[in-house]
Amino acid sequence: MSEDLTGLAYLVAAICFILALRGLSSPETARRGNLIGIVGMIVAIGTTLASPHVLSYSWILGGIVIGGAIGTIIALKIQMTALPQLVAAFHSLVGLAAVFIATATLYAPDAYGIGSVGSILTASLIEMSIGTFIGAITFTGSIVAFAKLQGLVSGAPLVFPGQHLLNAVLGLASIALIAWFSTTESYQAYWLIVALALILGFLIILPIGGADMPVVVSMLNSYSGWAACGIGFTLGNTLLIITGALVGSSGAILSYIMCKGMNRSFFSVILGGFGTEEGAAAESTGDKTVRQGSAEDASFIMQNAGKVIVVPGYGMAVAQAQHALREMGDVLKAAGVEVSYAIHPVAGRMPGHMNVLLAEANVPYDEVFELEEINHEFSTADVVYVIGANDVTNPAAKTDPNSPIYGMPILDVEKAQTVLFVKRSMSSGYAGVDNELFFRDNTMMLFGDAKKMTEEILHSLG
């Protein structure tokens, strides 16, 4: 394939990726955006394989077959509730790939047109070292995120004295090593960069708690993009540069949106993550009492309501209650009840987690609203059905200056006439903060598994 034709094909692929991101910005166009992205990737891979610089297809085809088989098996077996950890695992592979490519170019620079061993272009050394540094951080950081999300390690912040100082020292040392490597092409410097970056990946993510996981996932997505972008410069591959920049910038923007949704700065997440693994036990409630109800009680209240707003959270994802929830909504709508769904930006374990689960259950897109779109509707709702969403509904975010979630925008569910709150127990959410909403006069607690409780309500409605 000629150079001009290659450039044109890469341009088409880049446009597809941009349109894919545009499509993925809305649940209504997400499927189309995904398909456009697939088309762009097919064009990109086909163009790369048609390059005259490809000397042998045996290793490439072997990798495609093995990787494709693994990807197919994962896609067929993965549960929607496991998407956050799957995304984290994919990010780790992108980071590792960046390290491998950089290593290959270091030991065989003539194959990539960046010089020869001992005389690699300085610009390429800088690009290589930065791409390696970001890639290695992404690799180990994503492994930690995967382990936390999968429950292999505690989701609580793991901190120790002098942690920030150690991170700062390692960061400065890495900058010095990058400068050393870029001026001397020292293999020793290169492998020290890799080692320090791998350690930093662990140290950066370990102190981040469960409440900050949505930000972590989007942040690692950004890291993986910038790692790919840096390696794109090393390889002189325009499409890899564009694609990496798109992923890196979109991930950074998403991280900003997530931080805004929690009223936390990006640096406060990195330097002082908070949260627990499964929610700490509630403190002694003293004279506080809760009003506990049953599925039959909830069914009666909903049947006599004119407007019901459903607020899904991670508890819905764990119980895989989205299908039962959609069936309950269908029954209520058939009875003349107005039903809508309210999504908080950081509900769940990854950006858009709730949207994905509701879409899987075929909940109509026009019934799903973001916080800013629906928050004013709670005061007119007869019933709010909160299914596993804790911190994002906690009034302490507005009333308690000493609370770690103070200032975080929340869904104003307490303004509804009746709040039906589905939870397994009185434990707090991932932020480790008790929810005073449990004790409000207009709140009825429905204790039990989210899916089972919703199915029992559905049975009573029938």
Side-chain angles (χ1 to χ4, degrees):
M1 182 179 288
S2 68
E3 187 174 336
D4 290 341
L5 190 57
T6 297
L8 179 60
Y10 278 166
L11 178 61
V12 171
I15 293 174
C16 286
F17 294 148
I18 293 171
L19 293 176
L21 285 175
R22 178 67 183 87
L24 292 171
S25 64
S26 169
E28 296 183 12
T29 58
R31 283 192 175 93
R32 185 175 67 217
N34 198 33
L35 289 175
I36 294 174
I38 292 173
V39 171
M41 185 56 68
I42 291 174
V43 172
I45 293 174
T47 303
T48 302
L49 292 177
S51 171
H53 300 292
V54 177
L55 302 179
S56 174
Y57 288 98
S58 57
W59 283 96
I60 296 175
L61 292 176
I64 291 175
V65 170
I66 295 173
I70 294 173
T72 301
I73 293 172
I74 291 175
L76 291 174
K77 291 188 174 182
I78 192 71
Q79 297 292 329
M80 296 297 287
T81 50
L83 276 181
Q85 47 265 54
L86 178 64
V87 171
F90 283 165
H91 290 161
S92 72
L93 296 178
V94 175
L96 185 61
V99 175
F100 282 168
I101 293 172
T103 303
T105 57
L106 174 62
Y107 283 88
D110 52 329
Y112 300 92
I114 60 173
S116 57
V117 176
S119 59
I120 298 176
L121 299 174
T122 302
S124 295
L125 292 174
I126 296 173
E127 297 157 1
M128 190 188 308
S129 57
I130 293 176
T132 298
F133 179 72
I134 299 175
I137 288 179
T138 304
F139 174 59
T140 50
S142 297
I143 288 177
V144 174
F146 171 83
K148 282 176 173 280
L149 291 168
Q150 188 67 17
L152 301 178
V153 299
S154 172
L158 303 176
V159 297
F160 55 86
Q163 181 174 346
H164 299 325
L165 177 60
L166 176 60
N167 289 347
V169 170
L170 292 178
L172 292 174
S174 297
I175 294 174
L177 288 170
I178 290 173
W180 176 21
F181 173 73
S182 301
T183 54
T184 64
E185 197 181 320
S186 167
Y187 287 6
Q188 182 182 3
Y190 175 81
W191 288 112
L192 285 174
I193 292 171
V194 173
L196 289 188
L198 292 173
I199 294 172
L200 271 173
F202 282 113
L203 294 177
I204 289 175
I205 306 301
L206 279 173
I208 299 179
D212 286 326
M213 270 301 137
V215 180
V216 172
V217 172
S218 60
M219 178 188 70
L220 291 170
N221 177 64
S222 179
Y223 285 2
S224 67
W226 294 125
C229 183
I231 297 304
F233 278 105
T234 302
L235 299 178
N237 189 298
T238 306
L239 183 62
L240 192 55
I241 295 171
I242 295 173
T243 305
L246 285 173
V247 174
S249 57
S250 61
I253 293 171
L254 189 57
S255 297
Y256 170 77
I257 294 173
M258 294 296 103
C259 287
K260 185 178 179 182
M262 300 171 67
N263 194 38
R264 287 165 58 75
S265 69
F266 178 78
F267 289 105
S268 68
V269 172
I270 298 300
L271 299 178
F274 69 91
T276 61
E277 183 175 8
E278 295 181 349
E283 296 176 2
S284 174
T285 58
D287 295 330
K288 292 183 179 180
T289 59
V290 298
R291 185 161 62 109
Q292 183 175 347
S294 64
E296 290 75 17
D297 297 327
S299 172
F300 177 80
I301 293 172
M302 287 186 178
Q303 283 177 323
N304 291 278
K307 182 176 183 178
V308 174
I309 300 178
V310 179
V311 179
Y314 189 64
M316 181 193 75
V318 172
Q320 300 186 48
Q322 60 269 24
H323 294 282
L325 188 64
R326 192 263 303 164
E327 292 177 17
M328 184 186 78
D330 289 344
V331 171
L332 289 173
K333 287 186 291 183
V337 180
E338 178 186 346
V339 178
S340 54
Y341 300 79
I343 307 295
H344 193 281
V346 295
R349 293 290 192 88
M350 64 177 287
H353 196 182
M354 297 300 104
N355 301 80
V356 170
L357 293 175
L358 293 179
E360 183 208 9
N362 295 318
V363 172
Y365 296 132
D366 58 0
E367 295 178 5
V368 182
F369 300 92
E370 301 295 329
L371 180 147
E372 295 84 0
E373 300 173 312
I374 201 171
N375 230 11
H376 65 283
E377 297 285 335
F378 286 107
S379 59
T380 63
D382 298 299
V383 177
V384 172
Y385 187 69
V386 183
I387 179 166
N390 198 328
D391 296 324
V392 299
T393 62
N394 194 337
K398 298 185 294 183
T399 61
D400 185 4
N402 297 318
S403 173
I405 63 172
Y406 181 70
M408 182 178 82
I410 64 166
L411 294 164
D412 296 327
V413 299
E414 78 275 9
K415 294 181 180 180
Q417 184 174 336
T418 301
V419 179
L420 301 175
F421 212 118
V422 183
K423 261 183 77 67
R424 290 179 179 273
S425 67
M426 288 291 291
S427 63
S428 62
Y430 285 104
V433 181
D434 290 336
N435 193 339
E436 62 184 67
L437 180 64
F438 299 164
F439 311 102
R440 297 287 180 93
D441 293 336
N442 63 331
T443 298
M444 176 181 289
M445 299 300 297
L446 305 174
F447 293 113
D449 176 79
K451 182 179 180 181
K452 183 178 179 181
M453 178 61 68
T454 304
E455 289 175 341
E456 289 177 356
I457 293 174
L458 179 62
H459 178 72
S460 297
L461 288 172

